């Protein structure tokens, strides 16, 4: 019942003790591109951890989910079309009467958050270069060009606040 009702909140998957998918909610369908019918009975890592490094990481997470109350990882997983998606994964054991019977895994798509993080790292690095080149805050605000890959994040009012805050921090610490 939890798996069916929580389709807006998280991508919820349960597996048996051999990592075969036993439930797959609508949100997991949207995130990974497999219908529940296609996912049920298949090894979870063969579906969503197809790259060798992700597969090994997934198996390690599965072991951790059986051995502790909660396993947590921020990583990437593979969609049906082969593209990667940034996810925050939380998993743990499902016990009935003290006996381990399954594992549950919550996948949360953090792609936008990770893209924003990359955006601010790129901005920070550019501001540092400009400060090292002797640019003033006014020059940085005027000359800074948002990289094309992040053009859709361009929000001038937020950029100005970021430049001012970061510039002042650099000046205080002696960069």
């Amino acid at each position: 019942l939890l798996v069916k009702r929580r389709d807006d909140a998280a991508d919820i998957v349960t597996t048996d003790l051999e990592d075969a998918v036993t439930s797959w909610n609508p949100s997991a369908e949207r995130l990974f591109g497999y219908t529940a019918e296609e996912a049920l009975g298949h090894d979870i890592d063969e579906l969503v951890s197809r790259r060798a490094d992700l597969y090994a990481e997934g198996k390690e997470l599965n072991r951790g989910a059986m051995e502790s109350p909660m396993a947590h990882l921020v990583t990437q997983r593979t969609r049906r079309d082969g593209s990667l998606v940034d996810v925050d994964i939380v998993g743990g054991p499902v016990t009935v009467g003290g006996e381990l019977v399954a594992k549950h895994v919550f996948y949360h798509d953090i792609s936008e958050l990770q893209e924003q993080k990359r955006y601010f790292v790129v901005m920070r690095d550019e501001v540092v270069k400009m400060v090292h080149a002797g640019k003033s805050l006014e020059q940085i605000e005027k000359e800074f060009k948002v990289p094309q890959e992040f053009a859709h994040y361009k929000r001038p009012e937020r950029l100005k606040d970021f430049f001012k805050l970061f510039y002042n921090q650099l000046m205080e610490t002696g960069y």
Side-chain angles (χ1 to χ4, degrees), residues 77-96:
R77 287 295 177 257
T78 315
R79 290 185 166 126
R80 181 182 191 151
D81 66 6
S83 65
L84 294 176
V85 59
D86 294 310
V87 290
D88 184 352
I89 306 171
V90 177
V94 176
T95 57
V96 175

Side-chain angles (χ1 to χ4, degrees), residues 6-7 19 67 80 93 103 113 130 157 163:
R6 298 277 312 210
D7 61 27
D19 302 330
E67 296 168 0
R80 181 182 191 151
K103 295 173 286 186
L113 179 64
M130 295 174 98
E157 71 283 356
F163 290 143

Side-chain angles (χ1 to χ4, degrees), residues 13-23 62 65-68 91-96 99-105:
V13 176
T14 55
T15 66
D16 63 18
L17 300 180
E18 286 77 40
D19 302 330
V21 174
T22 57
S23 67
N62 290 334
M66 288 176 49
E67 296 168 0
S68 66
V94 176
T95 57
V96 175
E99 182 182 341
L100 179 64
V101 296
K103 295 173 286 186
H104 67 268
V105 185

Side-chain angles (χ1 to χ4, degrees), residues 29-123:
E29 289 183 11
R30 287 188 297 275
L31 179 64
F32 295 115
Y34 296 99
T35 65
E37 292 76 24
E38 293 168 322
L40 292 175
H42 291 277
D43 183 291
I44 184 64
D45 295 307
E46 289 177 10
L47 291 173
V48 302
S49 305
R50 290 181 287 168
R51 225 174 56 191
D53 59 327
L54 298 179
Y55 186 84
E57 177 187 84
K59 290 303 177 193
E60 183 63 31
L61 183 67
N62 290 334
R63 279 190 290 283
M66 288 176 49
E67 296 168 0
S68 66
M70 183 184 79
H72 179 251
L73 184 64
V74 173
T75 187
Q76 293 181 313
R77 287 295 177 257
T78 315
R79 290 185 166 126
R80 181 182 191 151
D81 66 6
S83 65
L84 294 176
V85 59
D86 294 310
V87 290
D88 184 352
I89 306 171
V90 177
V94 176
T95 57
V96 175
E99 182 182 341
L100 179 64
V101 296
K103 295 173 286 186
H104 67 268
V105 185
F106 296 84
Y107 293 91
H108 183 71
D109 182 350
I110 58 167
S111 299
E112 187 173 326
L113 179 64
Q114 293 297 82
E115 185 176 11
Q116 289 173 358
K117 181 179 172 182
R118 287 187 290 273
Y119 170 68
F120 280 104
V121 167
V122 167
M123 285 179 43

